[in-house]
Every structure is written in structure tokens, then in C-alpha cells.
Amino acid sequence: MDSQPAQKRRKINHPDEQNDLPYQDSSVEQSQLPATTIAPITNPPSISSSLRRSISPPAVRRNGKASLIPSEQTKPLTSVPSKSSHQERRPDTQHKLISSPVQLSHVEGLSFSNNIDTVGLRDIIGDPLIRECWVFNYLFDINFLMSNFDEDVRELVQVRVVHGSWRSEDPNKMRIDEAVKQYSNVRAITAYMPEAYGTHHSKMIILFRHDDHAQVIILTANIVPGDWRMCQAVWRSPLLPLQDGSPKGQSASPIESLAAIGSGVIFKRDLLAYLRTYGQAKLGGLTAQLKQYNFSGIRAALVASTPGKQNLRSCDPETETIWGWPGFKGILRRISTQTSTGRSHIVIQVSSVASLGAGNKWLDGTLFDTLATTAVTKSKSRSKPRFSLVFPTADEIRRSLDGYSSGGSIHMKTQSTAQANQLAHLRPMLCHWAGDGVQPETSTTSAEPIDVREAGRRRAAPHIKTYIRFNDESMQKIDWAMVTSANLSTQAWGAAINGAGEVRICSYEIGVVVWPALWGDGVGDRAEMVPVFKKDMPDVEKEEQESPATTRVGWRMPYDLPLVPYAKDEMPWCATAPDEEPDWMGRSWSGFEPH
């Protein structure tokens, strides 16, 4: 932690403020190494090697390279790959503590203390019990994907890659099509993209295992190496067993009308509805398999978008899945906020801000109105929430692990008149990602030092997307929290309702939202959610032991608190604008040129 007050932090010129030294390969310059380059797998092991040893727990492997920090290649896998809600009861308190339902990604280059309770791609797909893997994403490096499967079953796992690059000249499609030729067990599936400005931006993995379990994983990272050197998030369902009393090949039919939002039954309904939008010919086999599994262990609500128009006047939210912001608004209407005399604080943290339309009507009248929605209560209505937007500055990109290389994945255009007007509207909400650069001196020298709760991710550029409603300005309690692929755009969330009652969505997106009541028993067991830093399990401080809540759920934070607002002269990172100021590796930025 900095020895000086937060408002007087010094500017650093090298990313080692938290003892996080970036890994460098001396044989190649970072600027010469494409983000999606990885050596092809050669000489795969014979299948017989897996038959001569136990597959549970999997063996720990070494990559032959000495390292001062753990990496996702050298970390041993856990014997149970799912991270269900781990809980414990502390002997010195009556509180039941539940670890964060969301984990941060392991980032090679950060210190060990900043990688506690993190997860790498190998932790997700590296179990030798996996028999089938469906991967939904925007960008793929197939060789990188395959290198993270267990080496003894890598050629046996049936892998399906779902992407939206349908144009024959699209570089992503060409890379995928060429790479899958190397693997007889890998097949690429192109999603139908009816909207010209839409993308297949969803990031999800669905696993089927030899022990008759399935698992759903929702994440924020593309399947390319560079993304796993940035800050990302991962939500993993518990292992889902086959339906009780249902032989393999048959499925039970739970009564959805009796289930609550946030239950596994509704999650399953919504996930199957999302998968059906791809079409029976493309994903019919996947949906048929998932129907067989019991989702009752899930405590979360699915928030997804699919391209097309949805007429809200003819939709029944009680029986149908609603996409985009209308679907999220319907969920938030069921979530009661915690009682507080203070003003709620909603923090949006994304890696891209698109052009949101003239006059900021969509941002204020549609998205912010949605995020401010709560369950109707008899208590006095509270004031409207305060909104903040966490986004990195150019200085924070320059000082990140990969310097300017990370900037090609983070976008907010500020160059045109319309973009400058939008920025002016957003400016009062803008807050730093790292917050440890040069800060203006306060007007008084007697200011009390600020207690900074450090997330340990300052040097990892943010590709994560989170939306969090804090109970009040102290930001000690959380009303709800979401991790998603959806950035700040009408393409992702859907446009405002038109005169016909329709909402138009352009892209595929997927995320999960959770809230404290999902872990309460609805009777005497009250639950609360709190931000946690550098670990997944919450603590109970002495002064909090008398809290009426008996269950405390953590939410792993990717950024420090309190937030650090932008100074008047600070600008958000703009990837399309050239920048001559060198990053910490001495490189300038020529500007991002989208395809």
C-alpha cells in the first residue's frame, strides 16, 4: 500500500508499484509478437499414457521454465474443477461466510499475493474428465485453446468453437478455419449474424464430463493469449448432475412458473432459450444434452442479448426470456435493495464505450433508468443513484503489463464533435482504473490519509466488464453485481423502445447477475454481499459482528476503492488516436485501425 495519502500519490514510471514485474521473453520484442501467436502443438502424447495413471486428481506438470511467480501452465489443478459457493463458519463469529461467486483471472506478471484465488484457462478446461467442450467467443486462437486441455485427452475431447466471423475475408475466420484442420476433434460453427453492426461477443464455455456432470462457465476473456494477460473475470456454475430419476437421454420438465428469478430452474430456461436462437441445425445437439441436467445448484440470473427485434408488448416475462436491457430490468424489479439512508452508487466498469446516440437520451433514459430499477417496497423511495464509469487513462495503459499492446482491446472514441459531446456528458462520472498516477494536490495539507482497499490489478489492463450497485457512498455493501460480456453500447444492450414497442439488439452477449438474497433462507437467515480484495472469501470485522445479517457473501473486486475521479485535464484512453508518449517499454502508439 502507498505510504502517502491517496490524493498525493506519486506517478510511477515502471509497473512495479505492487512488485508486479512484467514477464518478458528476451528472444522477442513484445511489439513484434502478435497477441494471438502461439506455437502449434507437436508430438502429442500417446493415449496409452493416460491409461497407465489415475486421472483424478490430475498430475501436476512443469513447463520446464523457471518462474518466480505461478502461472496457469504450472499451477496444479484442483481435484474438483467447479467453484461452487465455498462456505465456512468462523469460530469467532456467528456469520456464515461464502466466497465470491465470481473469480478474477490469473495474470502472469502479477505478484503471487495479487493472484490469490485466481483462475486460468487451464483451470477451466484442463480436467481429464472433460469429454465435450463448447466454446462461445469473439476471437479465437485454436492452438492456444487446445494447449490448455489435459495433454492425455487433448485429442479425444470433442471441441466445438462458436464464433460470428462469417465473412470469408475476415482474418479471424481465416485463422479459425485454418487451425481446425490440424485437429480431427475440433469443429467450428458460425453463428447467424442478421445485424450489420452486430458481433458475436458472448463469452461462454459449456462442458460435459465423463462422470455424467455438466458445467457452465461465463467469462470476459477472448480465447487468445493476450487477453489472459489482462484483468478478466470468470463465473463457474457448480457441477450439474443428471436429472434425478431421468435415465440418460431423457429429460425432466420442472414447473418453471413456480420458480423464482435467480433459481437454477429459471437459469436453465433462459440458457436454453438463448442457445435456441442460434438455430436447431447449429446447436440442437447441445440444447438436447443440457436438458438432461439438473441446474438447481445455481444461484444467479442469466442476462443475455441476441440479435433481432423483440416486441415487448407481446412478450410475457413470466414465461418467456427477455433479452437485453428489458430482460435485465425485469430481473432488477425482483431485487430488493438493502435499507440505507444514503444514496446508492452504481459503478459501470467496461472495456469499450460506443457512440450512444445524440443527446445522451439512450444512456440516461434507457440504460441508467434500467440500472436504477429496484423492487417496489413500502418504504420511502430513496434518491436516484449516483453513477460512476471506471475506464483507464492513456497513462494507465502505458504503465500496464503489456503497455500499448493492451490498448488495442480497450475503446472509447473521443475525436469527433459528437464523441467530444458524449465525453463531456460522461466526464463527471469518469474514474480511474488504477488511480495511482499523478493526482492533484489537495487544498489542505491536513487532509486525512485515505484508506485504499487494493484489488491488486492496477497493472493488468481491464478487459473485464462489471456493473455493481453499492448500497451507499461508503461502498461497503453491495445490492447486486453483474459480470458480463456487454460493454456500454446500444448494440449490446438494445436500442430504446420504438413506436411499435420493439427493442432492436444487434449482438450476442451473455452475463450473470447475483444479489445477497440468493444465499439467504428467506426466513431468519439474512444475507449481505460485500466487496472483497485480493481474495475471494469475505472477513467479518469486530465492529461488524453485531450485524443483523448472518450470511456474508463476497464479491471479488477488480479495482481499488475508493474510486479516484478524473482530473479536469485527464482524458480516457482512445485507441484510434496516435500517442507519441512512450509506454514503459519505450514504444509509441500509431493508433488502432479496426477491420
Side-chain angles (χ1 to χ4, degrees):
M1 183 177 292
D2 300 316
S3 59
Q4 302 179 21
Q7 65 268 33
K8 297 183 181 181
R9 292 167 172 160
R10 59 185 177 85
K11 181 176 179 179
I12 60 176
N13 296 315
H14 190 277
D16 60 356
E17 183 70 13
Q18 301 173 320
N19 297 319
D20 292 331
L21 297 174
Y23 166 79
Q24 293 185 69
D25 186 342
S26 59
S27 65
V28 60
E29 291 292 330
Q30 289 286 336
S31 59
Q32 297 172 350
L33 182 63
T36 58
T37 298
I38 188 169
I41 301 166
T42 58
N43 299 322
S46 63
I47 300 305
S48 59
S49 63
S50 66
L51 300 178
R52 291 195 300 268
R53 68 166 175 83
S54 170
I55 61 174
S56 181
V60 178
R61 294 183 180 83
R62 309 290 178 186
N63 61 6
K65 180 185 289 187
S67 176
L68 296 178
I69 58 173
S71 70
E72 51 186 80
Q73 284 77 21
T74 59
K75 285 200 307 179
L77 293 169
T78 57
S79 56
V80 180
S82 67
K83 185 179 186 299
S84 56
S85 296
H86 175 64
Q87 63 184 41
E88 62 180 40
R89 190 177 291 275
R90 290 259 301 273
D92 58 340
T93 177
Q94 293 302 308
H95 286 78
K96 181 169 62 178
L97 306 180
I98 297 178
S99 63
S100 173
V102 164
Q103 293 176 279
L104 297 182
S105 60
H106 179 93
V107 178
E108 184 177 354
L110 298 184
S111 63
F112 178 82
S113 63
N114 289 332
N115 267 322
I116 294 172
D117 293 336
T118 56
V119 58
L121 183 57
R122 176 163 290 225
D123 296 304
I124 298 172
I125 64 173
D127 194 301
L129 285 176
I130 295 171
R131 63 173 175 82
E132 190 171 326
C133 174
W134 291 73
V135 188
F136 297 72
N137 221 299
Y138 177 60
L139 292 176
F140 283 92
D141 182 325
I142 300 299
N143 290 324
F144 172 68
L145 171 66
M146 298 305 291
S147 72
N148 281 279
F149 286 102
D150 184 274
E151 63 184 17
D152 293 336
V153 300
R154 187 176 292 147
E155 292 183 323
L156 299 178
V157 178
Q158 293 302 304
V159 180
R160 300 293 178 262
V161 171
V162 184
H163 65 93
S165 302
W166 59 272
R167 294 182 179 88
S168 58
E169 69 276 12
D170 190 311
N172 189 47
K173 177 177 174 56
M174 291 189 288
R175 284 193 299 267
I176 293 172
D177 290 346
E178 188 62 30
V180 297
K181 296 176 183 177
Q182 303 176 54
Y183 306 94
S184 61
N185 56 322
V186 181
R187 184 161 66 90
I189 299 172
T190 306
Y192 175 57
M193 302 299 301
E195 296 287 343
Y197 297 102
T199 59
H200 185 266
H201 202 243
S202 293
K203 294 164 175 61
M204 176 172 63
I205 298 173
I206 299 176
L207 303 174
F208 296 100
R209 296 161 51 91
H210 287 290
D211 58 3
D212 289 339
H213 285 79
Q215 189 175 31
V216 179
I217 300 98
I218 292 173
L219 61 164
T220 62
N222 288 289
I223 308 298
V224 296
D227 265 34
W228 294 84
R229 286 179 56 79
M230 304 175 75
C231 183
Q232 308 282 3
V234 177
W235 175 87
R236 293 190 284 179
S237 78
L239 294 183
L240 310 173
L242 286 168
Q243 296 277 11
D244 290 339
S246 296
K248 199 168 183 179
Q250 298 182 14
S251 62
S253 299
I255 304 175
E256 295 169 356
S257 60
L258 300 180
I261 292 290
S263 68
V265 170
I266 299 301
F267 188 100
K268 180 178 181 178
R269 180 200 71 181
D270 294 343
L271 178 58
L272 291 176
Y274 170 82
L275 295 174
R276 289 190 191 104
T277 65
Y278 289 80
Q280 174 69 19
K282 295 180 184 291
L283 298 189
L286 174 59
T287 56
Q289 283 196 81
L290 273 180
K291 285 181 182 178
Q292 304 169 18
Y293 290 88
N294 185 335
F295 280 59
S296 61
I298 289 179
R299 304 184 193 211
L302 193 75
V303 180
S305 295
T306 63
K309 291 181 180 178
Q310 189 170 215
N311 193 312
L312 300 185
R313 295 174 184 170
S314 60
C315 290
D316 181 2
E318 297 297 325
T319 59
E320 297 178 61
T321 303
I322 310 299
W323 310 120
W325 66 261
F328 191 28
K329 191 169 189 174
I331 293 170
L332 294 180
R333 285 196 182 107
R334 311 291 185 89
I335 301 176
S336 297
T337 56
Q338 302 172 51
T339 302
S340 173
T341 56
R343 184 185 183 190
S344 294
H345 192 165
I346 296 176
V347 181
I348 301 168
Q349 176 274 307
V350 292
S351 62
S352 179
V353 178
S355 297
L356 304 176
N360 302 294
K361 293 180 180 179
W362 178 85
L363 182 66
D364 295 339
T366 298
L367 187 66
F368 282 2
D369 179 70
T370 294
L371 298 177
T373 301
T374 64
V376 177
T377 61
K378 295 180 181 179
S379 60
K380 246 183 190 180
S381 61
R382 294 164 60 182
S383 58
K384 291 184 177 181
R386 172 187 172 188
F387 286 90
S388 292
L389 173 60
V390 174
F391 199 87
T393 61
D395 175 66
E396 289 168 330
I397 294 297
R398 284 191 288 268
R399 294 187 291 117
S400 66
L401 287 172
D402 288 339
Y404 281 130
S405 294
S406 299
S409 301
I410 300 173
H411 303 277
M412 185 192 295
K413 294 180 179 180
T414 60
Q415 295 156 294
S416 71
T417 301
Q419 292 160 359
N421 290 338
Q422 178 174 296
L423 176 60
H425 183 72
L426 293 174
R427 179 168 286 284
M429 311 174 209
L430 283 170
C431 295
H432 284 267
W433 166 253
D436 60 346
V438 172
Q439 298 299 324
E441 296 288 334
T442 56
S443 57
T444 173
T445 57
S446 60
E448 290 293 324
I450 296 175
D451 182 16
V452 179
R453 292 177 281 172
E454 296 183 14
R457 282 296 183 271
R458 294 174 181 172
R459 298 287 75 79
H463 193 259
I464 184 175
K465 295 96 175 152
T466 57
Y467 297 70
I468 303 175
R469 178 170 178 141
F470 292 93
N471 184 240
D472 57 28
E473 295 287 7
S474 72
M475 306 177 87
Q476 299 287 343
K477 304 286 175 62
I478 292 173
D479 285 331
W480 53 258
M482 177 173 62
V483 63
T484 176
S485 63
N487 280 304
L488 206 56
S489 74
T490 58
Q491 292 87 350
W493 285 105
I497 302 175
N498 64 20
E502 297 172 326
V503 172
R504 178 188 178 189
I505 300 174
C506 295
S507 297
Y508 291 93
E509 307 281 358
I510 199 161
V512 290
V513 60
V514 295
W515 56 96
L518 296 177
W519 284 269
D521 64 8
V523 185
D525 184 8
R526 287 187 54 191
E528 63 184 11
M529 183 172 286
V530 297
V532 292
F533 301 82
K534 293 191 176 185
K535 62 178 183 177
D536 289 348
M537 187 66 73
D539 291 320
V540 178
E541 303 298 335
K542 288 183 179 180
E543 61 271 17
E544 297 173 322
Q545 291 187 14
E546 301 303 319
S547 168
T550 55
T551 297
R552 171 165 286 198
V553 185
W555 176 270
R556 181 68 176 265
M557 291 298 298
Y559 48 82
D560 298 355
L561 292 178
L563 300 176
V564 179
Y566 277 31
K568 290 183 179 179
D569 60 342
E570 288 183 312
M571 293 287 289
W573 164 251
C574 177
T576 55
D579 198 326
E580 293 300 322
E581 184 172 345
D583 64 12
W584 72 270
M585 288 179 275
R587 303 174 304 181
S588 61
W589 178 253
S590 60
F592 177 82
E593 296 183 4
H595 296 296

